[in-house]
Amino acid sequence: MAATFRRRLQRGAASTAVAALVLAALTASQAPGATGAAAAKRRPAPPPADVPIDGGSAYYTDLPPLKSPVPPHGSPHTGKGPTTGRGPAEAGLPATVLAAYRKAATAIDASDPGCRLPWQLLAGIGKVESGQARGGAVDAEGTTLRPILGPQLNGHGFARITDTDAGRYDGDLTHDRAVGPMQFIPSTWSDGGPDGTGWGADGNGDGKKDPHNVFDAALAAGHYLCAGGRDLTDQNDLDRAILGYNHSEEYLRTVLSWYAFYRNGTHEVPDGKGVLPVHRDAGRSDGDSGGRSEGRPHHGRGPGAKPGKSPRPGGSDKPGKPGKGQQHPGKPGRPDGNRPTPGGTEPPTQKPTPHPHPEPAHPTTLVRVGDKDLSTTAGTEFATPPQVRAQDAGGKAVAGVPVRFTLPPATDARFPGDATTVTVTTDKDGLATAPTLRAGDRTGDFRIRVSTVRHTTPAVEVGATVKAKPAPKADKLARTSDKELTATAGKAFAEDAVEIKATYQGKSAAGVAVTATMITNDPKQPVENDKGPYFKDPEATGDAEDKPVRTLTGLTTDANGLLKLPKIYTDAHSGTFLLRLTTADGAVLTVKLKVAAPAGA
């Protein structure tokens, strides 16, 4: 079996001020933003969900009707397929907007399958943020017919964000506004993203990144929702992704209501024919002097509302009574007040809450377990998995805390399933133990970031080192055949005439580097021969192709410790010549090569 070998031939860039500005931008809108260093492939995690990033902006609070759409017979609710059905008008999604959501989910499923982004989640957020781009008021390319702008972020009821885009996206030269169907802040779209170029995306392949285009905005929103290695089939990750848009319990419940509603079935309607929402969250101002955001679909009070009073989000002017066809704002998704479950399954009877389980005690600290950093060699598993302990202010263990372990882009070490992030829950002793971590081929030091999923507990880091594999050793080299090696001057030896086996302490030695040298027949001080048998340079071209090479390095034994030497040629000299094979550990084998003179010479 031929060995694998390589031939080597011998012939005789952000400052603290900038970070603060980005964070300020993120706290100004229900639009997504990001912090953190650039990642190689997947975007890093956005700000923690318990850090508000909406700035108090208004959003549509209209809820789905009590009657859900009826899905087609036999259609499973996978969350990704083109499930459609008949039902209330609210189940109708404008054709181009619907196409944008599906296209974005398909693209992200190909680039980031672990996120499992359902297009219905984009639809739920699009409904709450812009009423599906004003009911689908977009052109054939998906660009809104007129700009959708949020309130001016001038510090009156919102964060104060002075202009960052010279009015390029929002037309405002003094302050920023959230823009487009998915309501991005200009700074987060253009240069506030994790890689310094922003979250902006080109979803329709026209070479532009336009927040006013629903294909571009939907793809950018999908990237944001999937940031930090989220798996959106995990309820905690799903909640955290939505809360990253607008850190509000009511906002979370509203989006989840529409998400569950759309997962039960939708149908396509012509662009511009989608149902427009009317109500917004009570008690909030658009920030403009006129009480309504310029160019943005009506977020104001319902028709006929009295000045100074806001109707209930359900549509009724009487407190505590939802309007016809609407659900109570605190109890979205079902008339009995239970929280909807994505996929339309029957939820358990409980009070609405953004998490499916009771909150555990709040940890105040994560503490590393073990004083020494982890260490292993390339290609092997770490003997000790990363582990931390969650505890409260009194040092008492806190159980039931979701803890996330995140590997940096600088390493190719991986958790099972080639995962770069894993989430585990602390046990009764407060311990969170990551699954087995395996090192890749890349050597060096790296840090594993460990943080809680739902709390502001400071993250900790666990150091790890991957060392280079020790060079394979061989204490003996031997030929696999005792057949005499002969050739005629000017001819070549038989193909693969020389095969050797390397062993170490009697066992096959794989991956051993071997050097082959044609040497002089001088028992006291042999040197490289300048005549007789030779190798050829396989990478040489032109006149250098036939130039003799008498030292060959980088030959490596295969998994069985075997090595077949490349073809050996001869010049016009005849006689007995020596080929010496050596390893770095001092194993030596000398092979005789006999070259006969041509007939009649």
Side-chain angles (χ1 to χ4, degrees), residues 40-137:
K41 293 183 179 179
R42 296 187 64 178
R43 293 183 184 273
D50 44 14
V51 178
I53 63 171
D54 67 351
S57 292
Y59 56 86
Y60 287 127
T61 60
D62 295 52
L63 296 168
L66 299 179
K67 180 181 178 182
S68 295
V70 180
H73 178 68
S75 297
H77 303 305
T78 63
K80 292 184 180 179
T83 304
T84 57
R86 297 181 179 181
E90 287 84 350
L93 293 173
T96 301
V97 176
L98 175 58
Y101 295 151
R102 287 176 173 164
K103 183 178 177 67
T106 299
I108 290 176
D109 187 53
S111 63
D112 187 5
C115 177
R116 298 175 176 87
L117 170 70
W119 64 261
Q120 290 92 338
L121 178 58
L122 294 173
I125 291 176
K127 179 71 173 182
V128 172
E129 293 294 335
S130 69
Q132 311 298 15
R134 292 200 193 95

Side-chain angles (χ1 to χ4, degrees), residues 6 23 49 132 149 210 273 275 284 325 336 391 407 523 591:
R6 294 174 294 107
L23 182 59
Q132 311 298 15
L149 303 177
D210 183 3
K273 300 298 183 180
V275 175
R284 293 186 180 183
D336 61 6
Q391 59 188 40
L407 300 174
V591 178

Side-chain angles (χ1 to χ4, degrees), residues 228-306:
R230 289 191 182 115
D231 177 357
L232 297 181
T233 61
D234 179 271
Q235 190 66 49
N236 292 327
D237 278 2
L238 176 65
D239 290 355
R240 193 165 183 245
I242 297 171
L243 289 170
Y245 240 102
N246 187 312
H247 192 56
S248 158
E249 300 293 320
E250 294 299 323
Y251 180 89
L252 173 66
R253 286 192 282 263
T254 303
V255 170
L256 285 175
S257 294
W258 283 106
Y259 173 38
F261 180 77
Y262 288 139
R263 283 178 68 101
N264 279 335
T266 62
H267 59 271
E268 184 179 296
V269 299
D271 289 343
K273 300 298 183 180
V275 175
L276 289 172
V278 176
H279 305 97
R280 69 176 180 188
D281 51 331
R284 293 186 180 183
S285 167
D286 282 333
D288 285 342
S289 58
R292 185 178 300 176
S293 57
E294 178 183 341
R296 188 170 182 170
H298 181 43
H299 272 121
R301 303 180 177 92
K306 294 180 180 181

